[in-house]
């Protein structure tokens, strides 16, 4: 009689992805110099009718959960201009074990510009994400970063009660550290976010960072665009930082879009934001 073997489900399948893009200036336009994609990380380049390049990052796994790892790398060579966004919101699902990892490295050359504009990250209940952004700038570079986080989808009746969210930024200019921040929400996030010193009960928040020659001049216009928003904008040491909180992703976008337009000299958000 054949002896039955115990079922061995094996380790859960995890998503892995790497994407890398390097630009060059050719005939007055930003062109590709290097392009690489692996695993669930895909890169698409929609046709544009300007000298700039628009890049869309895609996670084909449909979201992140514990143990997933995605790495992006973008380098804008001298005098090139690049806007980088994502196809959709990055959804971070419940993690039964381990922590999802999402890292981005950006290099911006002399007289070059990168606008880092991913769509919102949505954290679901009991999710776990560790995220990192590393940027290297030259003295003449321009850099704009927009990062928004939604703690569940309010319209769907979702709430984030427990979980882990770590976010680490390191921005260097001419090899000198000019901006650093670390956020950690761990454990009973619904209680943490309800405190006046954190989010005051709001479920959506965002940070905008602009480093470039117009930082100080743009501050009054950015403040005007925010109106009565819960948040604020500050300028010091050549950088402009905006912090915002809102009751939902929809309300947050209504605040973000006008502020982004000011920081992009009137340019609209990428088209995929409106799909």
């Amino acid at each position: 009689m054949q002896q039955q073997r115990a079922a061995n489900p094996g380790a859960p399948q995890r998503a892995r992805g790497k994407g890398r893009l390097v630009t060059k200036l050719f005939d007055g336009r930003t062109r590709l110099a290097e392009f690489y994609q692996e695993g669930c990380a895909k890169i698409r380049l929609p046709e544009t009718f300007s000298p700039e390049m628009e890049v869309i990052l895609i996670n084909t796994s449909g979201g992140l959960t514990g143990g997933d790892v995605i790495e992006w790398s973008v380098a804008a060579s001298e005098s090139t201009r690049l806007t980088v966004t994502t196809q959709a919101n990055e959804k971070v699902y419940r993690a039964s074990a381990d922590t999802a990892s999402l890292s981005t490295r950006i290099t911006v050359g002399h007289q070059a510009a990168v606008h880092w504009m991913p769509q919102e990250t949505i954290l679901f209940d009991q999710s776990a994400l560790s995220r990192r952004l590393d940027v290297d700038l030259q003295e003449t570079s321009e850099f704009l970063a927009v990062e928004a986080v939604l703690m569940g989808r309010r319209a769907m009746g979702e709430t984030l009660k427990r979980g882990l969210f770590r976010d680490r930024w390191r921005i260097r200019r001419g090899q000198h550290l000019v901006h650093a921040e670390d956020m950690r929400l761990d454990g009973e996030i619904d209680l943490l976010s309800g405190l006046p010193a954190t989010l005051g009960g709001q479920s959506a928040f965002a940070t905008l960072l602009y480093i470039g020659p117009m930082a100080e001049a743009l501050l009054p216009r950015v403040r005007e665009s925010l109106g009565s928003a819960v948040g604020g904008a500050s300028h010091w040491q050549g950088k402009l930082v905006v912090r915002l909180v809102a009751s939902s992703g929809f309300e947050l976008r209504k605040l973000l879009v006008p502020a982004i337009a000011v920081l992009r000299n009137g340019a609209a958000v990428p088209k995929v934001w409106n799909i």
Side-chain angles (χ1 to χ4, degrees), residues 247-270:
S247 60
S248 67
F250 177 72
E251 294 298 325
L252 184 63
R253 275 214 179 186
K254 289 198 299 184
L255 301 174
L256 282 174
V257 171
I260 290 171
V262 172
L263 295 173
R264 280 167 56 85
N265 195 29
V269 297

Side-chain angles (χ1 to χ4, degrees), residues 176-234:
H176 298 288
L177 185 66
V178 295
H179 186 81
E181 61 179 78
D182 284 83
M183 171 182 287
R184 181 184 177 99
L185 297 173
D186 193 359
E188 297 178 326
I189 294 180
D190 57 339
L191 298 181
L192 290 171
S193 62
L195 299 174
T198 55
L199 300 179
Q202 307 281 29
S203 64
F205 59 93
T207 295
L208 290 83
L209 170 67
Y210 174 83
I211 299 176
M214 296 295 293
E216 185 174 7
L218 290 173
L219 180 61
R221 294 173 54 197
V222 169
R223 285 178 169 169
E224 182 181 0
S225 74
L226 298 179
S228 58
V230 180
S234 301

Side-chain angles (χ1 to χ4, degrees), residues 26 105 118 121 145 168 203 239 244 247-248:
F26 180 77
R105 176 168 289 279
T121 296
R168 178 182 174 91
S203 64
K239 62 182 178 181
L244 295 169
S247 60
S248 67

Side-chain angles (χ1 to χ4, degrees), residues 20-41:
R20 184 178 73 250
L21 181 143
V22 180
T23 65
K24 64 180 179 181
L25 189 67
F26 180 77
D27 198 22
R29 296 193 64 178
T30 301
R31 302 288 191 179
L32 274 180
E34 296 181 24
F35 182 92
Y36 175 83
Q37 58 185 17
E38 173 187 323
C40 65

Side-chain angles (χ1 to χ4, degrees), residues 2-3 16 49 107 154 172 240:
Q2 186 176 6
Q3 185 178 6
R16 297 286 187 273
F49 299 95
T107 304
R154 186 63 61 92
R172 292 175 173 81
L240 192 159

Side-chain angles (χ1 to χ4, degrees), residues 91-169:
K91 300 176 181 66
V92 188
Y93 297 110
R94 175 176 177 172
S96 58
D98 298 326
T99 300
S101 174
L102 178 60
S103 61
T104 304
R105 176 168 289 279
I106 298 173
T107 304
V108 190
H110 288 287
Q111 301 293 333
V114 171
H115 292 181
W116 170 248
M117 301 178 59
Q119 297 193 63
E120 298 91 339
T121 296
I122 303 176
L123 305 177
F124 289 85
D125 194 29
Q126 300 187 50
S127 59
L129 172 65
S130 180
R131 190 170 69 180
R132 182 174 181 124
L133 175 65
D134 289 283
V135 183
D136 290 303
L137 309 173
Q138 300 296 326
E139 293 294 340
T140 57
S141 303
E142 177 184 281
F143 177 66
L144 170 65
V146 181
E147 285 283 9
V149 177
L150 311 182
M151 297 190 299
R153 297 172 294 186
R154 186 63 61 92
M156 304 293 290
E158 299 167 353
T159 58
L160 174 60
K161 296 181 179 180
R162 294 187 60 85
L164 169 65
F165 177 63
R166 292 196 299 258
D167 199 18
R168 178 182 174 91
W169 293 26

